[in-house]
Amino acid sequence: MSAAAGPAWFKVYAVYMVIGFVALMLSYFGTKERIIPTAEETDKVKYSDLVNELKRNRPLQILGLFFLIGFTFMFFGNTVWPFYLKYNIGHSEWIASVGLLGSILGIFVLGQLCLWVWQFDSFKYSPTLGYIGRFLQQWGLTSATGFMWALVPEVVTFGEFKSKKRVAGIINALMGLFFKIGLALGGIIPGYINAVYGFNGSLLAQTEEALFGINLSMIWAPIILAIIAGFVMSRYPLSDTDIDHINEKITAYSK
């Protein structure tokens, strides 16, 4: 990419920025709350509830850590994917489309398929393998994202059961915090990894060591983080039966 392309990128993203801002304003001013808390209910909610909720809500701690680790390794791929395609595979024409198609399918299909094509010589050292891998990666990551957010109402319900206050806003704010920290780490850490291995963006071709750094941040680091995230999520203490039982108790004392 030439230096002359810089202004074009800026103009394109400026258009996206304006469209996004307009959509945000339309959403903000066009949304009306159907359920508004009473003054008594509002007075019960304190800023200290944020810290207290995080301390006493074990499912919130587990899910929050899962959010942080999960979005960290998810964003690894977004950060390194263009470099991986350009330098390791040698084809950058499918940077967006392969991941986008996988994301769309991942919304509707849960679970991630295992890739068992390495034994075929036609796939080895081929851009096709990289495209398939990215497609399946986005498929699985999008499914995992839906899974994460689907558990937030359970955490809210558990918090209400423990504190007798339904602090959904506080819990969603905490989830957003973990989410944003994960995105930040996922954008920062790959840069340091590639710097350690001598990546130089001004070169047309990278050294073997730099290519290994890209592989490490694109493939192996996310795999390790995914395993850690899976272990963390295995500690999640709530089941469907637990939630049904908790809902029954909440309904009973709310009458």
Side-chain angles (χ1 to χ4, degrees):
M1 182 183 297
S2 66
W9 278 99
F10 179 81
K11 291 175 182 177
V12 169
Y13 277 94
V15 172
Y16 281 133
M17 179 183 68
V18 172
I19 294 173
F21 178 76
V22 172
L24 176 63
M25 291 297 101
L26 290 174
S27 176
Y28 180 79
F29 290 107
T31 301
K32 304 296 180 184
E33 293 189 61
R34 293 182 292 110
I35 301 175
I36 300 177
T38 64
E40 181 182 356
E41 290 173 329
T42 302
D43 291 339
K44 289 181 180 179
V45 179
K46 309 294 182 183
Y47 285 110
S48 58
D49 288 340
L50 190 148
V51 177
N52 293 333
E53 191 66 32
L54 188 58
K55 285 181 178 179
R56 64 173 167 250
N57 194 327
R58 177 67 174 169
L60 173 61
Q61 297 168 6
I62 297 296
L63 188 60
L65 185 57
F66 181 63
F67 260 65
L68 192 153
I69 299 173
F71 281 105
T72 297
F73 76 74
M74 286 181 191
F75 214 66
F76 261 66
N78 293 341
T79 303
V80 187
W81 175 239
F83 303 124
Y84 181 76
L85 271 184
K86 181 177 180 180
Y87 296 110
N88 294 58
I89 293 182
H91 293 265
S92 57
E93 61 271 20
W94 284 90
I95 284 178
S97 301
V98 175
L100 176 62
L101 291 173
S103 296
I104 292 173
L105 283 179
I107 294 173
F108 302 102
V109 182
L110 293 177
Q112 187 170 7
L113 299 178
C114 294
L115 187 60
W116 295 104
V117 297
W118 187 246
Q119 68 268 25
F120 300 108
D121 291 335
S122 59
F123 282 108
K124 286 186 178 181
Y125 315 112
S126 167
T128 304
L129 186 61
Y131 297 152
I132 293 174
R134 179 62 171 177
F135 177 87
L136 294 177
Q137 179 196 37
Q138 288 302 118
W139 187 341
L141 291 180
T142 305
S143 301
T145 303
F147 168 71
M148 291 179 187
W149 290 107
L151 291 178
V152 173
E154 291 188 359
V155 174
V156 172
T157 299
F158 181 83
E160 181 181 5
F161 174 66
K162 285 292 185 180
S163 65
K164 304 299 185 292
K165 291 188 292 186
R166 191 170 182 85
V167 288
I170 287 176
I171 290 177
N172 275 284
L174 286 169
M175 290 296 102
L177 177 63
F178 287 121
F179 161 70
K180 289 177 175 61
I181 293 174
L183 292 184
L185 292 175
I188 294 170
I189 297 174
Y192 283 112
I193 292 175
N194 289 325
V196 167
Y197 284 93
F199 177 83
N200 187 342
S202 63
L203 299 178
L204 294 177
Q206 300 296 323
T207 64
E208 287 295 325
E209 189 177 24
L211 292 177
F212 175 77
I214 295 174
N215 272 331
L216 181 63
S217 52
M218 179 67 199
I219 301 171
W220 300 111
I223 287 175
I224 293 170
L225 288 173
I227 293 172
I228 295 173
F231 173 77
V232 168
M233 204 58 213
S234 70
R235 307 292 96 188
Y236 185 74
L238 298 178
S239 65
D240 290 344
T241 303
D242 294 330
I243 293 300
D244 290 339
H245 184 61
I246 289 172
N247 281 328
E248 290 173 1
K249 289 192 172 183
I250 291 175
T251 301
Y253 69 63
S254 297
K255 290 181 178 179

